[in-house]
Amino acid sequence: MKNVFYLLFVVTIAACGKKGDDVTPDAASAVAGTYEVSSLKQTSAGGTSITYTLPTSATSGSVVTTLSGQLATTRQTATTIGVVFLIKATGQADAPNDLGTFEVKGSDLYNANTKVGTADGTALNLDVTDSKGTRSIIISKKK
């Protein structure tokens, strides 16, 4: 009888143990992080387009400059993220460009009611136009 009591006690304690963390992160937390940019296409208001595959290197004399890019996303609220496009060039200070705050709805990103990209936690793709009319299409993967 004593053994049954101890067995029952052990089973009861084990059943009351802490359950695993089954908390699903909110939409913004799932997207937040740093992404390496692999492609950048910019089209000016006049229609001129330039496409970069990043990282890329150029040599001037004996100096090699490597250009790369990152998207840094931070959770603002449960459904919004802030995005900064960071341009990196060897030997130069990083050049941050605040792209703004976007609403996360499922795997889509919105600016107001306009869809401007997709984000699934591993890839982040944006199609944004700045105040000067320059359209940028940015393709990136999470680090």
Side-chain angles (χ1 to χ4, degrees), residues 22-134:
D22 293 338
V23 177
T24 302
D26 57 57
S29 293
V31 174
T34 303
Y35 296 77
E36 288 294 324
V37 175
S38 60
S39 176
L40 169 64
K41 179 179 181 181
Q42 291 187 309
T43 305
S44 70
T48 304
S49 290
I50 300 172
T51 301
Y52 300 95
T53 300
L54 299 177
T56 187
S57 296
T59 303
S60 178
S62 62
V63 177
V64 177
T65 301
T66 300
L67 182 67
S68 62
Q70 289 182 344
L71 291 176
T73 62
T74 53
R75 179 187 184 277
Q76 304 293 318
T77 69
T79 58
T80 60
I81 58 169
V83 180
V84 174
F85 181 33
L86 186 63
I87 300 169
K88 299 172 160 266
T90 307
Q92 297 180 19
D94 294 345
N97 184 7
D98 187 354
L99 299 180
T101 300
F102 302 99
E103 186 174 4
V104 183
K105 294 180 183 179
S107 62
D108 296 328
L109 300 177
Y110 288 84
N111 182 2
N113 290 324
T114 304
K115 181 179 172 182
V116 294
T118 59
D120 63 9
T122 59
L124 174 62
N125 303 318
L126 290 173
D127 185 345
V128 293
T129 303
D130 67 15
S131 60
K132 296 178 184 176
T134 300

